Amino acid sequence: MEKRALYLRIRDYLAADIAAGKWAENEKLPSERQLSEQFNTTRVTARQALTQLEAEGLIFRSNRRGWFVTPPRINYDPSRDMGFVRYVEDQGFSARTQTLEKKLIELPDHIADEVGLDRGTPVYEILRRRYINDRPCLIEKIFLNPKHCPGVLQHSLDRSLWSLLKAEYDLVPVERHLEIYPQTLEQPIAEALDANTGTSGLYIRRICRDQNGDFLELDEEFWLHNALKVVVSVMPD
Amino acid sequence: MEKRALYLRIRDYLAADIAAGKWAENEKLPSERQLSEQFNTTRVTARQALTQLEAEGLIFRSNRRGWFVTPPRINYDPSRDMGFVRYVEDQGFSARTQTLEKKLIELPDHIADEVGLDRGTPVYEILRRRYINDRPCLIEKIFLNPKHCPGVLQHSLDRSLWSLLKAEYDLVPVERHLEIYPQTLEQPIAEALDANTGTSGLYIRRICRDQNGDFLELDEEFWLHNALKVVVSVMPD
């Protein structure tokens, strides 16, 4: 049987150590020089192993400070109707939300066409940053139909929006359409997440309607690529 | 209301043209120089707009040849039990599969632990490349339990594996656990997809068991980041 390339064997060794808890999350790994000595190889090969682990999301590089262990990914099951705060806390992490901007805008044309509203319809736009265990993990851009929740911007939005909509407006989402795909983080979003422009991310887009099928919310989430894992369990008929 | 940055307005303009079919899929866009003249701006700004569209997956750069329109993403619904060939063809595209390697190996330790097999258990490993409309879109690595399908490597694997397993071994998957997350394409995979190392991708991993709950297959898919979109429709209770 074939022998695995050296950089991949170093990768496996480090991945096993990380899985076994030898380094805790956010802990610094040995330097490239130390690793190349330990494995009796070049720094190029050590760096190849580290880059591979970074591509898999297991470690991350912090400019000038070295390589660190990524905290575990959050599991996100899109087939379950559960808000961010709940699924994060259910997994033993803390969740925090920070509102960056809230304002009334004209709904962008391509979104208006898609959700079946007139072009130029006023909507609330809310920009929030969400943290898992104090690490900024995603930026969320929300378009809300003001017809259904007039004055919602006067409330604090640093909390679950669904709880607020339920408590104040008796609104419950009854249909959801989700799209999920990789997307490179553009500059303002990368900056807001302490990441480099061009870092890969995961884009999640959700359209919610109310009990009567009216457009209620379009939510766009821009996640750090290593912060979550989409998990689906399927039981065929 | 705020004015959108120039590069984003150029982005919107080009995105609208692409959506309207002004340029067909795989068609070449005007050069950066032409765009900068058309919008009376610098090449830096034109390039910013193009880079933004690339990040969204709408266009791609081909070395030295310029910028081209990406074919539409395939929709993939992980909650439906449907093979690649079927969901690609259902959407009006053609699907093609090419077997790159097939062999008997010892199951890697971390996978053995995870699926509950003894370390070192022999398994079939199959490496395939899959095309959508003749574009290589994903590399697939499959581990198959030989206990359930002895001799399967003697068949052609350039087809739906599920149909083969059903026809030859009467095997039907009855449980699936999926994980999906962004992952940078590592060198051999990027090369096999005509992409640059470091291009972002989407990783999809599926564990299937047979009717009796025995481990049947672990399938790892490495997709080009702009080739598919995970789509889920949820109807709450």
Side-chain angles (χ1 to χ4, degrees):
Chain A
M1 294 185 201
E2 283 168 28
K3 202 164 174 192
R4 216 160 139 78
L6 177 57
Y7 85 93
L8 288 174
R9 283 182 284 135
I10 300 176
R11 175 249 164 247
D12 293 347
Y13 189 93
L14 295 173
D17 275 354
I18 292 169
K22 179 169 170 185
W23 295 287
E25 52 186 85
N26 294 312
E27 194 175 334
K28 194 173 186 304
L29 290 169
S31 69
E32 289 170 20
R33 187 183 52 74
Q34 288 170 318
L35 287 172
S36 62
E37 284 168 9
Q38 180 183 347
F39 293 97
N40 198 18
T41 182
T42 62
R43 282 183 65 158
V44 172
T45 301
R47 175 176 285 250
Q48 245 187 319
L50 293 164
T51 308
Q52 171 59 28
L53 288 165
E54 183 189 32
E56 295 172 43
L58 291 178
I59 66 174
F60 65 95
R61 188 181 351 208
S62 181
N63 286 336
R64 296 203 183 82
R65 294 195 304 131
W67 294 90
F68 297 82
V69 177
T70 313
R73 292 175 196 268
I74 281 284
N75 290 338
Y76 167 63
D77 181 347
S79 68
R80 297 190 61 189
D81 210 0
M82 199 187 282
F84 173 83
V85 174
R86 174 123 174 258
Y87 66 75
V88 169
E89 291 183 346
D90 277 2
Q91 291 173 58
F93 299 93
S94 73
R96 186 157 66 85
T97 305
Q98 182 187 16
T99 305
L100 302 176
E101 260 182 59
K102 44 183 185 181
K103 58 189 176 191
L104 189 68
I105 62 157
E106 288 179 8
L107 192 60
D109 288 352
H110 63 282
I111 297 183
D113 294 348
E114 191 176 334
V115 300
L117 289 182
D118 292 333
R119 288 180 171 214
T121 301
V123 291
Y124 296 133
E125 186 188 72
I126 302 164
L127 200 66
R128 306 198 293 184
R129 175 162 45 205
R130 306 196 101 163
Y131 297 77
I132 298 171
N133 280 2
D134 287 323
R135 171 189 180 214
C137 285
L138 74 145
I139 298 294
E140 185 183 35
K141 184 188 269 185
I142 299 169
F143 299 102
L144 260 182
N145 192 340
K147 204 174 81 182
H148 297 284
C149 48
V152 74
L153 298 194
Q154 287 154 39
H155 295 271
S156 163
L157 303 172
D158 292 354
R159 53 175 288 196
S160 159
L161 189 59
W162 288 120
S163 321
L164 175 64
L165 292 175
K166 174 72 184 127
E168 297 290 327
Y169 304 92
D170 202 28
L171 279 174
V172 178
V174 290
E175 188 191 34
R176 299 191 316 167
H177 177 75
L178 283 108
E179 294 187 0
I180 304 172
Y181 48 87
Q183 194 177 81
T184 307
L185 300 178
E186 61 170 300
Q187 193 226 331
I189 292 182
E191 265 176 23
L193 294 173
D194 296 334
N196 298 320
T197 304
T199 298
S200 68
L202 192 68
Y203 173 75
I204 302 183
R205 181 188 217 262
R206 194 182 286 115
I207 294 179
C208 298
R209 296 177 182 276
D210 73 357
Q211 299 94 318
N212 308 311
D214 266 13
F215 170 71
L216 178 57
E217 186 202 27
L218 187 144
D219 175 285
E220 293 186 293
E221 293 179 352
F222 303 87
W223 282 80
L224 280 182
H225 73 103
N226 56 16
L228 107 162
K229 180 160 76 178
V230 177
V231 175
V232 184
S233 279
V234 186
M235 289 303 207
D237 320 319
Chain B
M1 295 186 200
E2 283 168 29
K3 201 163 176 195
R4 216 160 139 79
L6 177 59
Y7 85 92
L8 288 175
R9 282 181 285 135
I10 300 176
R11 174 249 163 247
D12 292 347
Y13 189 93
L14 295 173
D17 275 354
I18 292 169
K22 179 168 170 184
W23 294 287
E25 51 186 87
N26 294 313
E27 195 175 333
K28 194 173 185 302
L29 291 168
S31 70
E32 289 170 19
R33 187 183 51 74
Q34 288 169 318
L35 288 172
S36 63
E37 283 167 11
Q38 179 182 349
F39 292 98
N40 198 17
T41 182
T42 62
R43 284 183 64 158
V44 172
T45 302
R47 176 177 283 250
Q48 244 186 318
L50 294 165
T51 309
Q52 171 60 28
L53 288 165
E54 183 189 33
E56 295 173 42
L58 292 178
I59 66 174
F60 66 95
R61 188 178 355 205
S62 180
N63 286 335
R64 296 204 183 82
R65 294 195 304 131
W67 294 90
F68 298 82
V69 177
T70 314
R73 293 175 194 270
I74 281 282
N75 290 337
Y76 168 63
D77 181 348
S79 68
R80 299 189 61 189
D81 210 0
M82 199 187 283
F84 172 81
V85 175
R86 173 125 174 256
Y87 66 77
V88 168
E89 292 183 347
D90 276 2
Q91 291 173 57
F93 300 93
S94 72
R96 186 157 66 85
T97 305
Q98 183 186 17
T99 306
L100 303 176
E101 262 183 57
K102 46 183 185 179
K103 57 189 177 190
L104 188 67
I105 61 158
E106 289 181 7
L107 192 60
D109 289 352
H110 62 283
I111 297 182
D113 294 349
E114 192 177 331
V115 300
L117 289 183
D118 291 335
R119 289 180 171 212
T121 302
V123 291
Y124 296 132
E125 185 187 71
I126 302 164
L127 201 65
R128 305 198 293 183
R129 175 163 44 203
R130 304 196 103 164
Y131 296 77
I132 298 172
N133 280 1
D134 287 324
R135 172 187 180 215
C137 285
L138 74 145
I139 298 295
E140 185 183 37
K141 185 187 268 185
I142 300 168
F143 299 103
L144 260 182
N145 192 340
K147 205 174 79 183
H148 296 285
C149 47
V152 74
L153 298 194
Q154 288 154 39
H155 295 271
S156 161
L157 303 171
D158 292 353
R159 55 174 288 195
S160 158
L161 189 58
W162 290 119
S163 320
L164 175 64
L165 292 175
K166 174 70 183 128
E168 297 290 328
Y169 304 92
D170 203 29
L171 280 174
V172 177
V174 290
E175 188 191 35
R176 301 193 314 169
H177 177 74
L178 283 108
E179 294 187 0
I180 305 172
Y181 48 88
Q183 194 177 81
T184 307
L185 300 177
E186 62 170 299
Q187 195 227 328
I189 291 185
E191 265 175 25
L193 294 173
D194 295 334
N196 298 319
T197 304
T199 298
S200 68
L202 192 67
Y203 173 75
I204 303 182
R205 181 187 217 265
R206 194 182 287 114
I207 295 179
C208 297
R209 295 177 182 276
D210 73 356
Q211 298 94 318
N212 308 311
D214 265 14
F215 169 70
L216 178 56
E217 186 202 29
L218 187 144
D219 175 287
E220 293 185 294
E221 293 178 353
F222 303 87
W223 283 79
L224 281 182
H225 72 103
N226 56 16
L228 108 163
K229 178 160 78 178
V230 177
V231 175
V232 184
S233 279
V234 187
M235 290 304 207
D237 321 318

